[in-house]
């Protein structure tokens, strides 16, 4: 995909009933790493994120806080959700809010089309609803606790809170018409839903048969009005899923829509079903292409449980970034957790990896190489002589790392991508230990060899900085500038990523400059 092809990637839009925790930041970072990678590789990239502001959950939270829902949403977006993007260094291209006029208008058009084409009918809904999930529930999705506060009541298995029983006149989407087409889609496009565990669950769910979906509510009015019946508002998930289309011109700018659509969707596995069943069925009904992919990543676990605000295990992203910085946050979660699987967060693990991998492994390597260039060559990158076997080995490792990382990122295996890049760190550290440039520097007779060794490590760092820039943009940019590459080669983000493994790009004769520790020692004890 190095031909400038479209790479449109989305995060879920987040509920504004509460402030973000590290689970939300995790999705943001993963999407940002993928989009920075593709953007730097020359693909026509677009990263969308935003907020989900309608529905009963937000209405109730706002009311409980004595505010109108719109005012509540405005406050949360300004004070919490947009600042999150700064906190973890997200380079998004757009931020959509479901209360944006552009979104509300396009949702109306979409609904009207489905209505005109006979995909919607009026009916009566009678059943269970969990406001926490904003989802209609079946009996087997509920528990009946034998003890505790809610003993004898029906509670949602996810939120452990009582559900509500609804009896309303609703409009329904004929989703049951699309079961077979969805199964055909999963079959013919096996990577449509990933990872495999999520795909299997989705297929099993659809095979059981789909019901029609209630897509409107009439008992409250915080939502987008149904165009032909303004006494109803659109069901919050139906409204929310459409953000992915309305943000890129659906209903308004067909040219833009054709350029961006279809999308790659990153979601937590808890909401994969909405994205891999309801959403493609909606698109099929409207005659639009289905997404390229729905990737359901795993949960961050704290103390073995899914981290969540409602269970009071939520950790604010700034608790981590204030001490370790945004790069360390990004690196840690992308490296330590196999993307697609659950992963446990612990302060000990974060501190240990920070120290071993970022500070000692990468940071020290960069500082040592720059310091040796300053000490032995007055800061000038020397001309390399003929490479020996060890030098050639470095070149091979760099080339392989670049190829393997790109292939892993293409598969959304972010952890493998980072690990592939890290082979350069290990190789360069081993190379320096073996070549002992400080010994070579003692003898004029080995001066030429010293030049080759330091030119080789500097060029290795050049490739490393470029390949790390989607993951740890700040540190990579600092190293880039210290290498003198900024002046010689231009901005790091303008370096074609798929060419990063090509040897010999950093010109001899340019000057390095002082590099302070990229990942300084953290003295303060970290609270656990
Ligand atoms: N508003 C809906 C999504 C609509 S998309 C059309 C929603 N919002 S949410 O605020 O609850 O955020 C859900 C997303 O946050 C999850 O899909 C996941 O991306 C992320 N996470 C929330 N808790 C998480 C963990 N503990 N671990 C990992 N990701 C988590 O659902």
């Amino acid at each position: 995909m190095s031909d400038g092809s479209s790479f449109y990637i989305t995060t879920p839009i987040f509920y504004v009933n509460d402030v973000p925790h590290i689970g939300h930041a995790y999705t943001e970072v993963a999407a940002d790493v993928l989009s920075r990678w593709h953007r730097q590789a020359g693909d026509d990239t677009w990263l969308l994120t935003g907020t989900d502001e309608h529905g009963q959950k937000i209405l109730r939270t706002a009311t409980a806080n004595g505010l109108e829902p719109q005012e509540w949403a405005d406050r949360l977006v300004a004070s919490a959700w947009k600042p999150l993007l700064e906190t973890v260094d997200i380079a998004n291209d757009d931020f959509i809010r479901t209360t944006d006029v552009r979104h509300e208008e396009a949702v109306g058009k979409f609904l009207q089309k489905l209505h005109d084409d006979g995909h919607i009918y009026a009916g009566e809904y009678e059943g269970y609803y969990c406001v926490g999930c904003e989802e209609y529930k079946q009996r087997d999705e509920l528990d009946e606790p034998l003890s505790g506060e809610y003993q004898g009541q029906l509670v949602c298995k996810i939120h452990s809170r009582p559900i509500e029983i609804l009896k309303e006149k609703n409009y329904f989407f004929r989703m049951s018409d699309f079961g077979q087409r969805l199964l055909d889609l999963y079959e013919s496009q096996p990577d449509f839903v990933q990872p495999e565990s999520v795909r299997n669950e989705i297929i099993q769910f659809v095979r059981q048969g789909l019901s029609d979906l209630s897509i409107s509510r009439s008992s409250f009015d915080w939502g987008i009005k149904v165009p032909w019946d303004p006494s109803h508002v659109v069901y919050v998930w139906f409204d929310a899923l459409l953000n992915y289309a309305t943000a890129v011109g659906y209903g308004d700018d067909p040219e833009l829509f054709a350029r961006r659509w279809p999308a790659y969707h990153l979601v937590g596995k808890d909401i994969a079903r909405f994205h891999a069943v309801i959403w493609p069925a909606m698109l099929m009904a409207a005659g639009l292409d289905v997404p390229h992919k729905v990737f359901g990543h795993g949960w961050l676990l704290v103390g073995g449980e899914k981290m969540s605000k409602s269970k009071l295990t939520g950790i604010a992203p700034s608790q981590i970034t204030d001490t370790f910085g945004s790069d360390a946050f990004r690196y840690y979660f992308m490296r330590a957790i196999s993307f697609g699987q659950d992963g446990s967060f612990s302060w000990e693990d974060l501190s240990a990896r920070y120290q071993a991998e970022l500070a000692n492994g990468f940071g020290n390597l960069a500082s040592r190489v720059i310091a040796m260039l300053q000490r032995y060559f007055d800061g000038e990158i020397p001309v390399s002589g003929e490479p020996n076997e060890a030098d050639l080995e470095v070149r091979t490792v760099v080339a392989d790392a670049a190829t393997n990382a790109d292939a892993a990122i293409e598969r959304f295996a972010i952890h493998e991508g980072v690990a592939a890049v890290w082979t350069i760190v290990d190789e360069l550290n081993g190379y320096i230990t073996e070549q002992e440039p400080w010994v070579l520097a003692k003898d004029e007779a080995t001066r030429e060899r010293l030049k080759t060794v330091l030119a080789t490590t500097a060029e290795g760092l050049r490739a490393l900085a470029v390949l790390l820039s989607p993951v740890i943009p700040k540190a990579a940019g600092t190293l880039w500038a210290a290498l003198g590459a900024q002046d010689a080669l231009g901005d790091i983000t303008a370096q074609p990523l798929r060419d990063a493994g090509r040897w010999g790009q950093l010109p001899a004769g340019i000057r390095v400059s002082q590099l302070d520790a990229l990942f300084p020692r953290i003295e303060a004890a970290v609270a656990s």
Side-chain angles (χ1 to χ4, degrees):
M1 286 206 299
S2 50
D3 52 357
S5 56
S6 172
F7 185 76
Y8 169 38
I9 183 161
T10 68
T11 72
I13 49 171
F14 299 96
Y15 287 129
V16 293
N17 62 310
D18 211 337
V19 297
H21 58 56
I22 58 175
H24 305 120
Y26 177 63
T27 315
E28 290 282 3
V29 168
D32 187 59
V33 169
L34 293 171
S35 80
R36 283 181 190 257
W37 190 281
H38 280 271
R39 195 179 296 126
Q40 200 167 333
D43 297 329
D44 183 16
T45 301
W46 197 255
L47 169 60
L48 174 71
T49 188
T51 44
D52 190 352
E53 305 184 7
H54 292 130
Q56 255 170 309
K57 176 148 81 173
I58 311 299
L59 176 61
R60 285 187 187 173
T61 310
T63 308
N65 286 278
L67 291 176
E68 288 299 315
Q70 184 68 63
E71 196 184 347
W72 171 264
D74 290 347
R75 284 195 191 182
L76 266 278
V77 167
S79 67
W81 289 95
K82 284 198 170 162
L84 167 69
L85 305 174
E86 292 268 305
T87 303
V88 290
D89 204 2
I90 305 300
N92 56 308
D93 297 288
D94 192 5
F95 187 99
I96 192 166
R97 302 178 54 180
T98 51
T99 52
D100 286 348
V101 174
R102 58 173 172 162
H103 175 73
E104 298 197 342
E105 283 181 0
V107 169
K109 288 184 189 165
F110 184 92
L111 241 81
Q112 189 64 54
K113 173 161 175 54
L114 258 52
H115 189 245
D116 294 347
D117 293 348
H119 295 293
I120 290 177
Y121 63 94
E124 178 99 2
Y125 179 79
E126 196 174 348
Y128 309 111
Y129 193 82
C130 169
V131 175
C133 297
E134 292 281 19
E135 187 177 15
Y136 306 95
K137 296 284 180 181
Q138 301 297 321
R139 179 64 185 82
D140 63 359
E141 294 170 302
L142 307 175
D143 273 336
E144 204 173 336
L146 296 171
S147 60
E149 195 182 348
Y150 303 124
Q151 184 180 359
Q153 298 185 48
L154 289 174
V155 302
C156 163
K157 281 186 183 166
I158 296 169
H159 287 88
S160 308
R161 298 254 173 88
I163 45 82
E164 328 220 331
I165 295 175
L166 301 185
K167 190 166 186 230
E168 287 186 9
K169 183 188 165 233
N170 284 173
Y171 289 99
F172 285 80
F173 167 49
R174 295 185 195 280
M175 193 161 72
S176 57
D177 287 353
F178 294 92
Q180 191 52 50
R181 279 184 67 186
L182 287 168
L183 290 171
D184 293 346
L185 166 67
Y186 310 141
E187 186 73 27
S188 65
Q189 218 177 296
D191 59 358
F192 173 74
V193 192
Q194 282 183 314
E196 201 56 25
S197 51
V198 177
R199 176 171 184 263
N200 291 338
E201 193 196 303
I202 297 285
I203 293 178
Q204 206 187 340
F205 174 76
V206 177
R207 276 204 188 127
Q208 288 170 358
L210 293 179
S211 320
D212 290 341
L213 178 73
S214 163
I215 57 151
S216 74
R217 301 290 306 277
S218 55
S219 53
F220 61 93
D221 70 352
W222 176 235
I224 300 175
K225 290 198 184 337
V226 170
W228 63 89
D229 182 351
S231 67
H232 284 242
V233 293
V234 180
Y235 166 47
V236 60
W237 267 101
F238 215 77
D239 161 355
L241 287 162
L242 279 163
N243 90 87
Y244 304 129
T246 63
V248 290
Y250 171 80
D252 171 48
D253 185 345
E255 222 171 281
L256 178 65
F257 188 69
R259 173 175 169 191
R260 298 274 176 236
W261 194 256
Y264 293 84
H265 298 306
L266 272 198
V267 299
K269 64 181 179 181
D270 48 335
I271 58 170
R273 211 191 269 178
F274 295 94
H275 287 79
V277 180
I278 299 178
W279 179 224
M282 288 165 66
L283 291 162
M284 286 170 179
L288 300 171
D289 288 342
V290 298
H292 280 304
K293 191 194 291 293
V294 174
F295 192 100
H297 66 68
W299 287 336
L300 295 191
L301 309 175
V302 172
E305 267 204 63
K306 180 185 180 219
M307 196 196 51
S308 83
K309 277 274 168 189
S310 54
K311 293 194 171 150
L312 298 178
T313 45
I315 298 170
S318 58
Q319 280 178 263
I320 293 177
T321 56
D322 285 351
T323 306
F324 294 91
S326 59
D327 277 349
F329 185 105
R330 297 167 63 95
Y331 172 79
Y332 173 71
F333 286 106
M334 294 303 105
R335 176 81 200 253
I337 298 171
S338 295
F339 198 60
Q341 287 170 26
D342 292 349
S344 292
F345 169 78
S346 79
W347 290 102
E348 291 74 14
D349 191 30
L350 167 65
S351 301
R353 279 189 183 264
Y354 178 92
Q355 198 52 47
E357 293 164 23
L358 290 174
N360 298 342
F362 173 56
N364 273 355
L365 166 69
S367 310
R368 284 166 79 199
V369 173
I370 298 278
M372 287 192 281
L373 284 163
Q374 288 177 318
R375 190 172 321 134
Y376 305 138
F377 295 104
D378 204 20
E380 198 175 292
I381 296 193
V383 177
S384 172
E386 275 303 301
N388 69 14
E389 216 171 291
D391 310 332
L392 290 174
E393 171 67 18
V394 173
R395 299 183 186 195
T396 306
V397 168
V398 167
D400 289 352
T403 308
N404 295 340
D406 191 47
I409 295 290
E410 199 67 35
R411 290 182 286 114
F412 284 44
I414 304 175
H415 57 292
E416 284 181 34
V418 181
V421 176
W422 220 255
T423 60
I424 303 178
V425 174
D426 296 336
E427 173 67 17
L428 291 178
N429 276 321
Y431 175 78
I432 292 173
T433 306
E434 276 170 27
Q435 301 302 317
E436 301 182 308
W438 48 90
V439 175
L440 299 174
K442 285 187 187 141
D443 190 344
E444 199 46 42
T446 48
R447 181 89 184 151
E448 287 306 306
R449 183 64 204 145
L450 177 65
K451 286 185 182 171
T452 303
V453 169
L454 286 185
T456 301
T457 44
E459 174 65 6
L461 283 184
R462 190 270 318 150
L464 190 56
V466 173
L467 291 166
L468 283 177
S469 110
V471 187
I472 47 173
K474 288 183 179 143
T478 306
L479 171 59
W480 187 252
L483 281 170
Q486 181 75 37
D487 296 335
L489 301 173
D491 224 24
I492 190 168
T493 54
Q495 308 304 307
L497 213 140
R498 293 190 180 108
D499 193 37
R502 186 171 53 80
W503 195 256
Q505 298 186 38
L506 197 66
I510 62 169
R511 301 192 79 85
V512 302
S513 54
Q514 179 62 32
L515 179 65
D516 295 331
L518 289 172
F519 294 95
R521 237 193 129 67
I522 287 171
E523 300 297 347
V526 175
S528 56

